[in-house]
Amino acid sequence: MLTTQPLAYRDGEISLNGFLAWDSVHGARRPGILVVHGGAGLDDHAKGRARRFAELGFLALACDMYGDGVTGNRQRIVEHLTEVRREPGKLRRRAQAALEILSSHPLVDGRLAAVGYCFGGLVVLEVARSGAELAGVVSVHGSLETTAPAQAATIKAKILVCHGALDPHVPMTQVTAFAEEMNRAGADYQIVIYGRAMHGFTYETATGQTPGVAYHALSDARSSTAIQAFFEEIFQGDGVPRRFRSG
């Protein structure tokens, strides 16, 4: 049975409100998945992805990167996005607050990964660049640029990037620059590029309202399969849900 509940936590003086999801039929400890929302804030898309990961046997936390009074307020969202892009350290600390809450949950066995969509993709890559002790991070149609490139031998997490070939917001020049950055850092990374897919290809509600952003069902399904295979790789061993074990 899928269980969900809101989760209040803090980043210093900032109050945050996340969303937990897990399968409560089995009481076994399991890996934890941090889900990081897109630019609109913690929304139905992020909560829906958390539910999907919970159904696969993980404990998922859809975190809150903004805090009270930001989600739903376009002006404040833009101000916040501009601020954190200038200060990746602040963004990394906000994500770390959620990771600490996730890792302390009694059902989490110590193994962690993070998946981010759009803005969230940028977030999880910054967390990886910081040298966080994660098994892996996944960026789905996320920005690949940074003002604080990874240093050699600092990245501990394995990295999966799922990218739309027709994404005008993250052009192929950015993809190439990211690959060069990862090569210099000696990171274990992979980039999967989906033909005919634009930005935001996992958002079912993206039907042309925003230029360059559109749902693409095939790429959504293929990226979901790629993420599951990635989890199978990084979470091998005792306690991994059977559906993620090799063979």
Side-chain angles (χ1 to χ4, degrees):
M1 182 177 71
L2 192 65
T3 298
T4 63
Q5 68 178 44
L7 177 68
Y9 63 105
R10 302 184 70 84
D11 173 22
E13 298 300 314
I14 305 298
S15 297
L16 303 164
N17 295 285
F19 174 84
L20 273 174
W22 71 97
D23 182 348
S24 57
V25 171
H26 304 290
R29 301 181 77 206
R30 64 205 75 183
I33 308 296
L34 183 69
V35 179
V36 188
H37 57 74
L42 181 53
D43 56 8
D44 289 342
H45 177 271
K47 292 177 181 178
R49 299 290 151 155
R51 288 188 179 94
R52 290 189 186 189
F53 294 134
E55 289 169 350
L56 292 171
F58 301 104
L59 187 141
L61 169 60
C63 69
D64 175 7
M65 292 296 295
Y66 291 164
D68 294 339
V70 178
T71 298
N73 184 322
R74 181 173 177 77
Q75 180 178 345
R76 291 202 63 189
I77 287 174
V78 171
E79 292 172 353
H80 186 82
L81 290 174
T82 301
E83 178 184 1
V84 297
R85 283 177 180 273
R86 288 197 305 261
E87 301 181 54
K90 186 173 183 178
L91 181 150
R92 293 171 180 179
R93 289 192 299 273
R94 182 63 51 82
Q96 188 61 40
L99 284 167
E100 290 173 2
I101 291 294
L102 177 61
S103 65
S104 68
H105 194 283
L107 284 177
V108 173
D109 62 11
R111 292 173 294 174
L112 300 172
V115 183
Y117 300 85
C118 290
F119 164 68
L122 177 153
V123 172
V124 301
L125 291 177
E126 289 295 348
V127 171
R129 290 180 175 108
S130 74
E133 297 282 354
L134 299 178
V137 303
V138 183
S139 171
V140 186
H141 45 71
S143 175
L144 306 177
E145 288 184 318
T146 183
T147 58
Q151 301 301 306
T154 59
I155 297 179
K156 300 179 178 66
K158 294 183 178 182
I159 295 173
L160 169 64
V161 170
C162 299
H163 179 72
L166 302 182
D167 187 339
H169 301 286
V170 186
M172 292 303 296
T173 53
Q174 196 177 127
V175 177
T176 300
F178 174 78
E180 293 172 350
E181 177 197 357
M182 294 297 104
N183 289 338
R184 290 192 298 269
D188 182 339
Y189 76 100
Q190 52 188 301
I191 302 172
V192 183
I193 299 174
Y194 300 99
R196 302 174 67 183
M198 292 192 287
H199 195 65
F201 59 77
T202 68
Y203 283 85
E204 295 92 337
T205 57
T207 56
Q209 310 93 315
T210 303
V213 180
Y215 180 61
H216 192 251
L218 184 57
S219 297
D220 185 13
R222 285 173 170 170
S223 62
S224 293
T225 299
I227 293 169
Q228 290 182 33
F230 183 68
F231 284 168
E232 180 179 1
E233 174 187 336
I234 66 174
F235 290 134
Q236 287 183 11
D238 291 340
V240 177
R242 179 170 296 278
R243 60 181 62 85
F244 285 102
R245 295 181 186 176
S246 298

